[in-house]
Amino acid sequence: MSRIVTRPVPLAAEAMLRQAGVHPVLARLYAARGVKKAEELGYGFEALLPPPGLRDCEAAAVLLADYIAQNKRLLVIADFDCDGATACAVAVRALRAFGATVDYFVPSREMGYGLTAKVVDMVAPLKPDLLITVDNGIAAVEAVESARARGIATLVTDHHLPGETLPLAACIVNPNQPQCGFESKCIAGVGVVFYVMLALRSELRRRGRFEGKQEPNLAALLDLVALGTVADVVKLDRNNRILVSQGLKRIRSGRMHAGIAALFAIAGRDPQRACAFDFGFALAPRINAAGRLADMHLGIECLITDDTARAFNIAQQLDALNRERRTVEAQMQAEAEAFLADIDVAASCSLTLHDGRWHPGVIGILAGRLKDRHHVPVITLAPSGEDELRGSGRSIAGLHLRDALDRVDKREPGLILRFGGHAAAAGLSLRKSDVDRFRTAFEQAVNDMLEPAARQRRWESDGALEAGYLNLDMARMLQEEIWGQGFPAPLFCDELRIEQQRIVGEKHLRLRVSAADRRCEAILFQHDQPLPEKIRALYRLDINEYMGSQSLQLTLEHWEEIGEEI
């Protein structure tokens, strides 16, 4: 069962926003998302939280400045997702601009996540003086000790939740570490390393490094920061919205890196009308495809190169990998649904699925698809070596997935070999022989932690949209705003009359609908059955482009027949 709920709108906040000149529709939408005054909508760079508020950010800057002054070798240890790739690109580009001797290394999925003792063994022959982790490292206790034993220092920059023991690194910058008062706890890994680079520039400026020459412009990196922030699906609090807004502003004005421009081109998207949706659904999947099916070096090189032709060539390779990923994903999803056909999913509050043929780079996407379809936390597992399985999990609102895995770990010590992650997503490793035992333990943990109300799917709506605003201008205005995780894109709810409908692309429904006295086109993806004449629908305003012209299109996210109880 599912139910539609309308987001409450604090009337005082809405009124204050209107009085400040905010468009009436935007005033309602922003008030419903917690914005109380128009000043909170200022996304200028000057409104960004200052780097000194991030614990040990300035200490990291001093450390890096010392190593640069001594011409020491720096090595960035990246992660194999889009946040890790953009964080690596930001670190390498900034450090090279500061005159550092720097290179990078990114583990494959087969090697495991982030900085490990095995990674230290592999990079030791390169003779680095300092390892700099980006989007990883907070759990690398053993690896940092291994590096230290070899005389290699480590600077950890990360945003993941720490465990009970922190690595003995030379410096740790992570807003979620103890005693860090940084307000934006949900900043992405790329945002953390960007802050470190801002602090490093200030430190180098203090030392007179830029006297007689132009300072590197770190704002030029904001297209990368914006992409990684949206791609990692972190909450878009005001600080993150500033980072995304500034990145989009640069892209729309044509000031972007060669790799970003190439990805827009290969995805058929117009950078002059770039929006956060482009990051999450056009660029990030192509970058992530490298880490899922091949090697994230390809994605990082796309973001580091300044050669336009090379960037486009790499983008083409990434696009091919993404098409391959979609094929693999579709096959895996069909296999998972065939397995679930013999199970009473409604009787469980979680799903743990394993198949020896599944690709370890795609199980996270599969977990997300199954979570969305069945509205339960999902763990999917694939082979990782002879005796181990690597798992990826996705959770629903109301269940903190990492905390659930932590509960399993405390109840069944040794069952989970390794785990980590966030509220909505996590990764883990198991022995093959322990799948059934884990399935039982995870189901029990979820059952204990998940409140009854969270087990029912909720669709949050912004209510009805006045007929006068059901137009292309409103769609364009909404598209220019910053929406994302924790600051969701508007989803309106209205009664629609279906006037025409036909299947397009084999599995999508193209509609002609009327709402009040307005008629417009609509589409319902992944649906090939006819709709009743009258429905209550949740929809977002989109822009349909065809043969160079634009028109309004409603994209239906959920529908119910009129008369059904909600």
Side-chain angles (χ1 to χ4, degrees):
M1 289 293 293
S2 62
R3 63 192 181 102
I4 299 173
V5 296
T6 302
R7 293 187 182 93
V9 180
L11 298 181
E14 181 185 12
M16 286 189 66
L17 292 171
R18 285 194 181 207
Q19 289 170 9
V22 178
H23 187 283
V25 173
L26 288 179
R28 171 161 63 101
L29 297 174
Y30 280 136
R33 286 154 180 77
V35 176
K36 296 182 174 61
K37 48 189 178 181
E39 289 78 6
E40 297 174 44
L41 302 174
Y43 295 152
F45 200 58
E46 69 282 353
L48 206 62
L49 294 172
L54 184 58
R55 182 182 178 186
D56 286 338
C57 190
E58 292 178 303
V62 171
L63 178 70
L64 287 168
D66 287 345
Y67 274 76
I68 292 172
Q70 298 167 41
N71 199 30
K72 298 287 189 178
R73 294 183 179 180
L74 312 181
L75 186 66
V76 176
I77 306 297
D79 181 25
F80 43 65
D81 68 1
C82 190
D83 185 17
T86 52
C88 180
V90 165
V92 170
R93 281 184 171 277
L95 289 168
R96 287 178 178 170
F98 295 145
T101 302
V102 60
D103 206 343
Y104 72 91
F105 178 86
V106 55
S108 65
R109 284 183 181 268
E110 288 70 27
M111 293 169 59
Y113 163 77
L115 181 63
T116 63
K118 182 178 180 180
V119 168
V120 173
D121 290 339
M122 293 186 68
V123 303
L126 301 175
K127 300 186 183 305
D129 296 297
L130 178 68
L131 302 179
I132 306 167
T133 71
V134 293
D135 193 33
N136 73 90
I138 196 64
V141 177
E142 179 186 354
V144 169
E145 183 57 36
S146 176
R148 197 156 67 105
R150 295 171 181 266
I152 306 171
T154 305
L155 164 60
V156 171
T157 75
D158 201 352
H159 69 127
H160 293 94
L161 297 174
E164 294 180 1
T165 304
L166 295 178
L168 295 176
C171 188
I172 297 175
V173 184
N174 184 334
N176 291 300
Q177 69 176 311
Q179 283 86 53
C180 182
F182 194 64
E183 292 179 32
S184 184
K185 298 295 184 183
C186 49
I187 191 171
V190 67
V192 174
V193 77
F194 180 68
Y195 263 77
V196 172
M197 294 303 115
L198 288 174
L200 174 56
R201 185 178 62 179
S202 295
E203 176 63 20
L204 292 174
R205 182 188 299 139
R206 187 186 66 78
R207 298 186 184 196
R209 180 86 177 190
F210 308 120
E211 287 182 7
K213 54 185 176 182
Q214 187 173 2
E215 259 185 31
N217 178 19
L218 294 185
L221 300 172
L222 285 165
D223 57 345
L224 302 172
V225 177
L227 170 59
T229 298
V230 174
D232 213 43
V233 202
V234 293
K235 180 182 177 182
L236 291 189
D237 62 4
R238 187 190 180 192
N239 208 60
N240 280 338
R241 295 202 305 278
I242 292 171
L243 294 173
V244 173
S245 176
Q246 288 294 320
L248 285 171
K249 183 178 179 181
R250 295 188 67 84
I251 291 171
R252 289 168 181 166
S253 66
R255 297 173 296 164
M256 72 197 98
H257 290 98
I260 298 292
L263 288 167
F264 266 94
I266 212 73
R269 311 292 293 186
D270 182 0
Q272 291 186 345
R273 295 202 300 272
C275 62
F277 183 88
D278 294 323
F279 289 148
F281 293 91
L283 276 66
R286 288 169 169 82
I287 293 288
N288 279 328
R292 295 187 187 282
L293 299 186
D295 187 335
M296 187 46 92
H297 279 91
L298 198 61
I300 293 172
E301 284 299 314
C302 184
L303 302 176
I304 287 179
T305 185
D306 291 320
D307 185 320
T308 302
R310 183 165 185 260
F312 190 77
N313 179 266
I314 296 175
Q316 287 179 311
Q317 296 178 60
L318 294 173
D319 187 59
L321 284 171
N322 192 49
R323 290 196 300 271
E324 180 184 349
R325 185 271 305 168
R326 284 199 290 253
T327 300
V328 172
E329 177 196 336
Q331 178 63 32
M332 288 169 56
Q333 188 166 351
E335 291 166 353
E337 293 295 356
F339 176 75
L340 292 176
D342 299 326
I343 296 176
D344 184 6
V345 178
S348 303
C349 54
S350 71
L351 290 174
T352 298
L353 302 178
H354 159 240
D355 193 304
R357 301 165 296 175
W358 285 350
H359 195 296
V362 187
I363 53 174
I365 298 178
L366 176 62
R369 302 287 191 213
L370 296 174
K371 179 266 297 183
D372 290 341
R373 181 177 177 85
H374 299 286
H375 192 65
V376 293
V378 176
I379 302 287
T380 50
L381 299 151
S384 176
E386 291 186 6
D387 301 317
E388 281 192 20
L389 298 173
R390 183 176 303 137
S392 187
R394 298 293 185 269
S395 189
I396 61 175
L399 181 86
H400 193 296
L401 189 54
R402 186 195 176 279
D403 287 354
L405 293 177
D406 187 59
R407 178 170 294 204
V408 172
D409 187 55
K410 286 182 168 58
R411 287 177 173 177
E412 302 269 1
L415 172 59
I416 304 178
L417 301 178
R418 294 172 296 278
F419 73 95
H422 302 289
L428 70 154
S429 294
L430 298 173
R431 285 176 288 269
K432 286 184 178 179
S433 57
D434 286 337
V435 173
D436 290 338
R437 183 177 158 210
F438 171 81
R439 182 182 288 112
T440 301
F442 183 63
E443 172 75 9
Q444 184 61 55
V446 173
N447 188 54
D448 292 345
M449 297 172 65
L450 196 60
E451 295 292 334
R455 304 185 189 202
Q456 184 180 32
R457 188 190 298 267
R458 278 170 35 116
W459 294 90
E460 287 195 322
S461 159
D462 289 294
L465 180 64
E466 295 89 335
Y469 293 130
L470 199 63
N471 54 49
L472 185 58
D473 287 341
M474 177 57 62
R476 287 171 175 156
M477 185 179 73
L478 294 179
Q479 190 178 78
E480 290 177 358
E481 300 301 310
I482 307 300
W483 313 106
Q485 182 71 16
F487 206 79
L491 201 57
F492 301 105
C493 182
D494 275 304
E495 293 186 0
L496 304 179
R497 181 183 293 275
I498 310 299
E499 298 185 345
Q500 297 177 17
Q501 51 185 312
R502 59 187 174 87
I503 296 174
V504 295
E506 296 185 359
K507 54 182 178 180
H508 311 307
L509 208 55
R510 172 70 66 182
L511 308 164
R512 178 77 172 174
V513 302
S514 61
D517 61 342
R518 299 293 177 114
R519 288 182 171 81
C520 57
E521 299 296 317
I523 192 162
L524 177 58
F525 290 109
Q526 303 296 326
H527 188 94
D528 58 5
Q529 299 298 313
L531 298 183
E533 182 183 359
K534 294 181 180 180
I535 62 171
R536 178 184 296 106
L538 285 174
Y539 64 89
R540 50 187 170 87
L541 297 190
D542 274 335
I543 300 173
N544 183 40
E545 297 191 34
Y546 182 71
M547 300 290 287
S549 64
Q550 295 184 339
S551 60
L552 175 68
Q553 175 179 277
L554 309 187
T555 297
L556 274 56
E557 299 288 348
H558 174 69
W559 66 274
E560 296 168 348
E561 188 170 2
I562 295 293
E564 287 186 0
E565 207 173 302
I566 62 170

